[in-house]
Amino acid sequence: MAGIFNTNKDSIPEKLFYALFSLQHRGHESAGITYRKGSELAVHKGLGSVGSVLTPLLREPIESRVGIGHVRYSTHGGNTVENVQPVIAECNKGKIAISHNGNISNAVALNEHLTDEGSIFRSTSDTELILHLIARSKGTSFQAALVETLHKLEGAYSLVLIHEDSLFAVRDPHGFRPLYIGEKDGATYIASETCALDMLKVRKRREVKPGELIRISSSGVTSEMFAKPVPVSACVFELIYFARPDSEVFGHSVHLMRKKIGAALAEREHKTADIVVPVPDSGNSAAVGYADKAGIPFELALTRNHFTGRSFILPTTTDRELAVRMKLHPVQPAIEGKRVVLIDDSLVRGTTSRNLVKLVKEAKAKEIHLRLAAPELKWPCFFGIDIPTRKELISNKLSPEQIARDIGADSVAFLPLEDLRKCVGNNGGFCDACFSGDYPIPVEHRLKGA
Amino acid sequence: MAGIFNTNKDSIPEKLFYALFSLQHRGHESAGITYRKGSELAVHKGLGSVGSVLTPLLREPIESRVGIGHVRYSTHGGNTVENVQPVIAECNKGKIAISHNGNISNAVALNEHLTDEGSIFRSTSDTELILHLIARSKGTSFQAALVETLHKLEGAYSLVLIHEDSLFAVRDPHGFRPLYIGEKDGATYIASETCALDMLKVRKRREVKPGELIRISSSGVTSEMFAKPVPVSACVFELIYFARPDSEVFGHSVHLMRKKIGAALAEREHKTADIVVPVPDSGNSAAVGYADKAGIPFELALTRNHFTGRSFILPTTTDRELAVRMKLHPVQPAIEGKRVVLIDDSLVRGTTSRNLVKLVKEAKAKEIHLRLAAPELKWPCFFGIDIPTRKELISNKLSPEQIARDIGADSVAFLPLEDLRKCVGNNGGFCDACFSGDYPIPVEHRLKGA
Amino acid sequence: MAGIFNTNKDSIPEKLFYALFSLQHRGHESAGITYRKGSELAVHKGLGSVGSVLTPLLREPIESRVGIGHVRYSTHGGNTVENVQPVIAECNKGKIAISHNGNISNAVALNEHLTDEGSIFRSTSDTELILHLIARSKGTSFQAALVETLHKLEGAYSLVLIHEDSLFAVRDPHGFRPLYIGEKDGATYIASETCALDMLKVRKRREVKPGELIRISSSGVTSEMFAKPVPVSACVFELIYFARPDSEVFGHSVHLMRKKIGAALAEREHKTADIVVPVPDSGNSAAVGYADKAGIPFELALTRNHFTGRSFILPTTTDRELAVRMKLHPVQPAIEGKRVVLIDDSLVRGTTSRNLVKLVKEAKAKEIHLRLAAPELKWPCFFGIDIPTRKELISNKLSPEQIARDIGADSVAFLPLEDLRKCVGNNGGFCDACFSGDYPIPVEHRLKGA
Amino acid sequence: MAGIFNTNKDSIPEKLFYALFSLQHRGHESAGITYRKGSELAVHKGLGSVGSVLTPLLREPIESRVGIGHVRYSTHGGNTVENVQPVIAECNKGKIAISHNGNISNAVALNEHLTDEGSIFRSTSDTELILHLIARSKGTSFQAALVETLHKLEGAYSLVLIHEDSLFAVRDPHGFRPLYIGEKDGATYIASETCALDMLKVRKRREVKPGELIRISSSGVTSEMFAKPVPVSACVFELIYFARPDSEVFGHSVHLMRKKIGAALAEREHKTADIVVPVPDSGNSAAVGYADKAGIPFELALTRNHFTGRSFILPTTTDRELAVRMKLHPVQPAIEGKRVVLIDDSLVRGTTSRNLVKLVKEAKAKEIHLRLAAPELKWPCFFGIDIPTRKELISNKLSPEQIARDIGADSVAFLPLEDLRKCVGNNGGFCDACFSGDYPIPVEHRLKGA
């Protein structure tokens, strides 16, 4: 998710292209850009990657004052054209464009209330309901209506909006999802992660604060704390898996935090092994930290195929073993006869790990010890991370020992929850509900269906 | 526009495909199909032709009880993905899918009222507002809410809708746009023109009456006249240009009506010529009628290229002369030295005719007399036909004699309005406002901007 | 097939694009252009239509002195990339590009001889063997080698070639296939039919003579009769079906010749009918001639769909009835109760006619009399027209009366061979072997396999 | 390059697909597969990746006895459809399909001789000339003709061929390029690297020997040493850069050899640094070896974007800095204030390194020391590796010190040639001409133009 308020003649769509390109790890199923063109909002969006959907925007520079963009994977609502963001609508407040990262946890109740009142929903995403609330607000200005709306929302929402010639950036009071604001040569940049700002060489930046609403217009930048302070609960899974390693989120370097977690994992171990091997690329940073701390040689004994993944989709993705075999390749002479510590970021269903362990066994490892740079994943997320139902999560079914037997490893171990909390700072400020079940917002009613 | 209620295991999407394929002359910029799949509505739609957008639906049979489809050219609202029909929304009446042919003439007022009340509009088409009105209706059943909505609409609307397992077909009280219902082997078929029913070999059929609302469900077919009778004003331009010649619309054979118009045009003439040449294919039927009546040999001295047109789009469409030259080819030995009566359906801006006359001159015609099987086009349409603004219409700027000079013809003549009215039946029942300015519904406020 | 020798800065590829676009009825399965670029030959070719394969060449003007182009349907050799023309090769005579229209009737013998000598064939088309012969010639100049090669070829060949900066045009001594040369503003244009020259507004033109070799270079245009005169045998099927009606081929207007044939067909008749209906567009010209001569009203009671055909291909083309139904639409009110004379150009397998008659019957014709503007098709063609094997040709299996019964018509009649010969000129000059079996070149050995 | 001789009903094209998919690092500009289908050779090939060109072959199993496939990047001959392999031709020996990895160093002389004799060349690749030589051979059997042909070839060639129902595998006497043969369940597999055999779980395998010709047919596998032994000169650049790290080539593990080279590089150093950072992924293996040996912490401080590279091509690739910035991302908190040893595989033009150093500087490295796991690249390759001309190679223009200044690094150092030779085995057996200029085959005449 990104937004730009321009002060020069640079091409807004081009800048948004590069910002979104850098954020594709956050969603590569659809991409979209909206920018102000005269009094209209031009829209380019579609299913597919940033490269495939938005490259036409690079053909020639397009002058514009303000624009926003979005990349998406389906957390809430199916992967249909109707759900691709930004969402644009016209209402009594004028034309509004909005992009949303997160999940509104009281969406069902709000939705019911709105449909009772006669609202129609053309998409299944949370985002449309924010627009409905703005339209129905009696607020005397757009910003007043927006604030009134935000007061009704619960859950996770980092937002960028366009209204008239203004760009708005909003982060929910709990600060679930990251959001950054930067400035360069008079232009203002909003992005989910700093890697998007780096791509645009925007060095001057800070976090948008939890509960902050920023408005950028030709009269300048104003900031408003729209909600009473509540305890912050930033998503720890961003640090563990979701964010890009070269990004800063929540004030932390993602790569360094993962190294720290890897080191913490090693500290708990008395296991003697010959090599530490990351599952590329998700286990890379933690493996470096683990190997350093454990004093065991780091070895790149699993290589990753650059022709697979996002760019190439097999006609049948049902064959998980084949998919893993096409993507990850063990270096047999580096593995054969060795006791291998395999480092991955987390364990979800266990399917990929099972196939991975099989590959490493075929390469004749003497022992395979799978280490996860995260605690056991046991609870669903209602704040924007796509985690399967409880029944599908392997840690709700099996103990680490049982998992080891199930996937064919010699041992499996997770980072203890208290160690994770120690790594990220014991004074809280993080939501680790997917590991702990400690939801910072009541979600009992939603847990029933999860 | 088409809708099907199935009673057997035939593939609804496949049948809709062929129906829409037959209706592409009504709109080839986008195509869409929605059908009931369990309790959901599956949607396939996109910009492009029926062939390019919907062919994937032919891969395998899909069982479904009810479906609707639409082809579109932009009358109202730009040609964007958001505007592609059918439009699907969820509201307090449940899930609704709708396709609309026509234009709501009080859309602006309804839209203002709805936005005042807090509705948001995600598209610029009229269709979305019908859904808003249904959602806001206090009607105790879906059908009651639909009828309440229809009472608020003015202008032209032929509609098909899906609600739960029912298919609805509606035609506005004035009957502006055509709509047919047919039955075969227990299944019910709705289509804008009979050519779509022919394609599906549905022979038993009748017009949906102006002001009729038909509901087809597993309990059978019910019909309701939802509005008090008003004078019918069927669009005469459907007969002149828009509908396919092999169709029946408004109870008339399109081809035979055009022949009749061609004959009427010939009756007014004392011009002696050597050959009557249609501009293919829009002037074909009228030219046959003209040649017969005038006793002048019919000659196919302009041939049409089957590789141009809808299938092939030049990178630059600005070069109108080139576009005409790529599509229409004079047969010089049939034209050289001859006095040619050139028959076309109507004259809009005059650009194509100018290039056409140039081509026929290059083929060394001795004289070129352009005859239009329609009166002078002078007024905008607010009921579903895409006619340029008054300023762009050549007949608002030049007399027939001036047009002849302007486009290089030896003479230009139109069908007198009274002759057109005689052809289609003097007792009225038609809207010919684009020629006469006699709008059957007050449109003063809209004319200002036209 | 087309070639251009330029003398100004016009874009050769662009001109070739428009020439080939006009010739697509001669082949729409592949398209290719080669033009001289410095000392190299740039090539753009592929499977598909001119529009889909060659549109990229329109992006910007490309200066070049000489270029040739080709459109193809598979007469000889499968429809693979290897067979797409122009064919370019490098040999001891330098770089050569060649496009070929026709069929070499002694190809098998030449091929055997060449492979015995160690030649390799990368395609299955005749064209490659011409290059082999040029390469193996001891001729002291390229033109000498080309003439030596032509002396070895039997059968049908109209050729354009590029060698160094020269353009060559060749037509075989029998003149089987048409070939025209034109001049405009100092540039020289070669094309199979005049319609391509019309597209480029090249009005000054003549036939390339049978047995003529023309060389166009910066030193001017030279012409050589490379072979002793033999009786000319131009392909009569070009006039009956293959060429575009607005073209001139073999000195005749295609449209006027077809009208003449239609009139000849009518002269043999005593049948009284109500309407004459062409099968669009192949029967159009003959139907006009027939109706005029017979004094029966011409009626456009079958309309053609402009969304099918070349632009849209159904996933399964096996369903011939569906294919016909999607392309041709009877106008029932014009047909119902009428005695219909249906005019088509020729009868091959009878499948399309059977489906067509079915359609016209469904439209309730009282009688259907199918008339073919050609004699009975009974023999294969070895000179460039794609005719099925003898066994597949319906006229080798059934008499006209039997065909009528077989396809459901009330009668079927063909143009007698002597009438065709009278139409095109009794003094010969045409090959009508597909009707008569009188091959102008011995083909006994080939007939065995046909 | 791969070939399969089947003994069961497995789908040959599917197996070839996965083999070629694994070999795409050897060429991703085009892909092709040929397999025996009855007595014909079916061909699927095109410009693009294995995924884009060959996925249609996965739709359904295709039974076949024998097939070969190829992936290509342009060493010799442009990137045109004509040059895509396998090359298929028909000659007096029958139908032959061939794929070739390498470069024939006497191609020009052979080509001249062949064109003198009347051969034509339809492509600019070396491969076609092998087919010409086979066709012109007087050998009494195909294998005899093949051997006679091989005796005429100089330079690098690993080949797979199909003739009738047999598969042939050939490696040139110097063994420039790798080639492996494997066996599983009675089927025989040929592939350039073992990673392709791993993909197919073919564990039983050996190198095809330099100078060996293997024939696989239904009568079994036969091997022939077709040439007198010469000193082997395997391409050292395969180990340094070209081959995939998990492959074995020339009997060596690529990954382990690169680690060894990295360690050798470290041994020469007295430089004290804070972190060793690989340029992903080409510097990965060497960096692990370097860090281990130098005792400096290994750090993954440059991350690689998985959405760039082969899958996404920018409209303008001219902006090299942007291209690097989109692909490689420094982790600033891991770099800031550190003395960084940056490890890459080799230095060609220096452009990428310049941009890379710029990125690392922006991330505030205290010092940047670029280390290359290869000697200075100074000479062109005539045996299959695509190296720019001497003038373009930075090491022919600047000393390491000058390069450091030029690209903005604090120091630049290469692996000394003698160290490389020690790593791969001092007893020779390798061609390192690109570093040393010691060509194992006389190439003086070719060097002039290089």
Side-chain angles (χ1 to χ4, degrees), chain B residues 336-347:
Chain B
E336 192 166 350
K338 301 271 172 55
R339 292 166 301 168
V340 176
V341 176
L342 206 57
I343 308 282
D344 207 349
D345 64 298
S346 59
L347 200 57

Side-chain angles (χ1 to χ4, degrees), chain A residues 88-89 122, chain B residues 82-83 87 111 121-128:
Chain A
I88 291 97
R122 291 193 55 188
Chain B
E82 265 81 10
N83 287 336
V87 176
N111 193 306
F121 282 84
R122 291 193 55 188
S123 62
T124 54
S125 75
D126 288 354
T127 317
E128 193 173 1

